Amino acid sequence: MNIKPYITSLRLRTLPLSVAGVVLGAAIAPTAIRWGVFALTVITTLCLQIITNLANEMGDAQKGTDETQSGRAQYSLQSGAITMKQMQRYLTAYVIASMAFGTWLIVETFGTLFCTQSYIFLALGALAIAAAIKYTLGKHAYGYHGLGDLGVFLFFGLLGVLGSCYMQCQMVTWQSVVAAVAIALPIVAVLNLNNIRDMAGDLEHHKITFASKLGLKGARVYQSLLVLLPFVLFPLAGCWWLLLFLPLFVYHVYFVWTREGSALDAHMKVLSLSTLAMALVQFIISLF
């Protein structure tokens, strides 16, 4: 069995970004890190990101969106390395894994599945899985109607930070809310950069992203706001050290305004790893 196509479909470069919110949430919790809870939160979040990636590949393949995209390697369904049936089984395995680790996380955090807090997080987990699948998969995929940015903001931004913080200390502070919004913005920026790059191909297949609604100039302005506004918010959340990253994000704005199409792909990894790096810096500072 050739596992390389399966690894390709995981889209490994997207995985570090998905845990940025979780890492920051644990960092700003006003208690000592509960390492078991933290590890399970990271694993569950990674499973949710993989579900999103696999469902995205399936949805785009069904709608033909990937056929004309340039500037990137073919995904496994597009190249024929994996069949749709195999991908469905692969997706199902990660849904089961997400449910299992999510349930374990809730029990580890609250000590039981049978309490109000557990019920709330079970419902949020189910909603997160449904949102991951419905991003581009199915007839009414919200990612094809300009709502992908909102989904990422809510689930990998706000829920990632606030959920992680609450799992650590069973409370939400105003600093955690501000930090959640701050880290959510560059996470959304990665999606927007992807959508700017793919704008022409997306429109050909009637995939209406928020970037395509704004147009190229509007999407660039939006991108600039997404990566610069966090540096107004981070100090309000007590994350002063993160201002050291401002020059890198200023350069990213210049990069976006001076390049287009497949050339933008060079900053996908830069933006993802920089966002994670900010969360890790705050996490390390919180340990001392």
Side-chain angles (χ1 to χ4, degrees):
M1 177 182 176
N2 183 10
I3 66 169
K4 186 175 179 181
Y6 291 92
I7 294 174
T8 299
S9 289
L10 295 180
R11 305 190 191 185
L12 296 179
R13 72 177 182 175
T14 68
L15 301 187
L17 180 68
S18 66
V19 300
V22 167
V23 171
L24 186 60
I28 61 178
T31 55
I33 300 295
R34 300 173 64 189
W35 291 102
V37 169
F38 177 70
L40 287 169
T41 307
V42 169
I43 294 170
T44 303
T45 302
L46 288 173
C47 288
L48 285 170
Q49 180 63 59
I50 291 170
I51 291 169
T52 304
N53 293 346
L54 299 180
N56 187 18
E57 184 170 345
M58 290 173 65
D60 284 348
Q62 287 175 343
K63 297 172 178 66
T65 311
D66 280 339
E67 291 175 3
T68 58
Q69 302 291 16
S70 60
R72 67 186 189 197
Q74 286 188 329
Y75 294 131
S76 301
L77 275 175
Q78 184 186 3
S79 67
I82 295 179
T83 66
M84 185 63 74
K85 198 167 194 178
Q86 289 172 322
M87 186 63 82
Q88 288 171 343
R89 289 197 292 264
Y90 199 30
L91 174 62
T92 300
Y94 275 100
V95 170
I96 293 171
S98 179
M99 293 169 63
F101 282 113
T103 302
W104 185 4
L105 168 61
I106 290 169
V107 173
E108 181 73 18
T109 301
F110 304 118
T112 177
L113 278 178
F114 306 105
C115 68
T116 301
Q117 293 165 308
S118 295
Y119 299 149
I120 291 172
F121 275 91
L122 283 170
L124 288 172
L127 186 61
I129 291 173
I133 292 173
K134 290 297 292 180
Y135 173 53
T136 59
L137 190 59
K139 189 175 181 180
H140 302 290
Y142 64 89
Y144 275 69
H145 297 281
L147 296 175
D149 297 49
L150 179 61
V152 170
F153 180 83
L154 291 175
F155 289 100
F156 288 103
L158 297 191
L159 183 58
V161 176
L162 299 180
S164 176
C165 181
Y166 194 88
M167 289 287 187
Q168 290 292 329
C169 62
Q170 278 75 70
M171 63 185 292
V172 171
T173 64
W174 72 268
Q175 290 96 335
S176 66
V177 175
V178 175
V181 174
I183 202 71
L185 296 177
I187 293 174
V188 173
V190 176
L191 174 62
N192 187 58
L193 184 64
N194 178 83
N195 290 340
I196 293 173
R197 181 197 66 188
D198 295 342
M199 192 180 295
D202 286 343
L203 288 173
E204 282 183 27
H205 293 275
H206 309 290
K207 181 178 182 179
I208 307 301
T209 63
F210 193 58
S212 65
K213 284 186 174 185
L214 294 172
L216 181 58
K217 183 177 179 180
R220 283 170 166 165
V221 172
Y222 175 50
Q223 183 74 5
S224 302
L225 293 173
L226 288 173
V227 300
L228 295 180
L229 279 179
F231 294 97
V232 177
L233 298 174
F234 280 133
L236 299 177
C239 304
W240 291 93
W241 283 99
L242 302 191
L243 292 177
L244 294 173
F245 287 85
L246 179 57
L248 178 59
F249 283 81
V250 169
Y251 175 72
H252 172 75
V253 171
Y254 167 78
F255 183 90
V256 169
W257 280 90
T258 55
R259 291 161 181 81
E260 58 184 81
S262 60
L264 292 170
D265 199 60
H267 256 225
M268 294 289 289
K269 187 183 294 185
V270 172
L271 187 54
S272 296
L273 293 178
S274 299
T275 303
L276 175 60
M278 289 193 296
L280 288 173
V281 166
Q282 191 61 39
F283 185 81
I284 292 169
I285 291 171
S286 72
L287 298 178
F288 298 97

